Amino acid sequence: MAIENVLPANFGYAIFTYMYSFVMLTYLALKVGGARKKYGIKYPTMYSDKELIFNCIQRAHQNTLEVYPQWLVFQTIAALEYPIVASVLGVIWITSRFSYAWGYYTGHPAKRMHGAYGYIGLFGVILLSISVALKLLGVL
């Protein structure tokens, strides 16, 4: 059976959204690697007792990784029924993680809130996933 007979016609947008998320995660990881080199933080040390900026760079990446699996699940569920809307919400969430990181990278952790608009994307795909669940249960 061909994939285009299984997935919604516009699911390609969701696939590109996943690719964008890969770019975002790669960027955040490279920033941590560069900061490790710059500040002399050796593996397996996660955080520095001396370098606040390194901790901010590491934390921006780690926090994104902490929510990424949940986002992937809800993004996929939502995209199976609402591929275009889910993709727009996904792009909002992913883009917000850049804003979040850039704010954090300043060394002023409160500036990470520049990425707070990402909750629109995250909660959006959660709500769409709830809609899918209710449809499958015959409630909607």
Side-chain angles (χ1 to χ4, degrees):
M1 182 180 310
I3 192 92
E4 59 270 10
N5 295 330
V6 177
L7 294 173
N10 291 322
F11 196 81
Y13 292 113
I15 294 169
F16 283 121
T17 303
Y18 298 133
M19 295 169 109
Y20 181 38
S21 76
F22 174 77
V23 169
M24 177 265 301
L25 288 177
T26 301
Y27 172 81
L28 296 178
L30 289 172
K31 292 297 281 187
V32 173
R36 280 188 179 283
K37 185 175 181 180
K38 179 178 181 178
Y39 296 108
I41 310 299
K42 305 291 183 209
Y43 286 105
T45 304
M46 288 287 287
Y47 299 102
S48 172
D49 292 334
K50 300 173 188 157
E51 301 293 345
L52 174 68
I53 297 292
F54 172 78
N55 291 343
C56 289
I57 294 168
Q58 168 67 12
R59 202 55 215 133
H61 184 229
Q62 187 64 37
N63 182 262
T64 300
L65 292 174
E66 289 166 1
V67 72
Y68 189 71
Q70 296 87 341
W71 174 79
L72 278 175
V73 169
F74 293 123
Q75 179 69 26
T76 301
I77 293 167
L80 287 170
E81 183 71 18
Y82 310 102
I84 294 174
V85 176
S87 295
V88 169
L89 291 168
V91 166
I92 291 170
W93 182 78
I94 296 161
T95 302
S96 79
R97 300 315 295 180
F98 284 109
S99 300
Y100 176 89
W102 294 330
Y104 228 151
Y105 295 170
T106 66
H108 301 283
K111 290 186 179 180
R112 73 190 191 285
M113 297 313 292
H114 293 169
Y117 65 90
Y119 286 113
I120 295 166
L122 179 60
F123 291 140
V125 294
I126 290 171
L127 290 173
L128 290 178
S129 295
I130 291 169
S131 173
V132 171
L134 293 174
K135 282 183 176 184
L136 289 171
L137 294 172
V139 176
L140 290 181

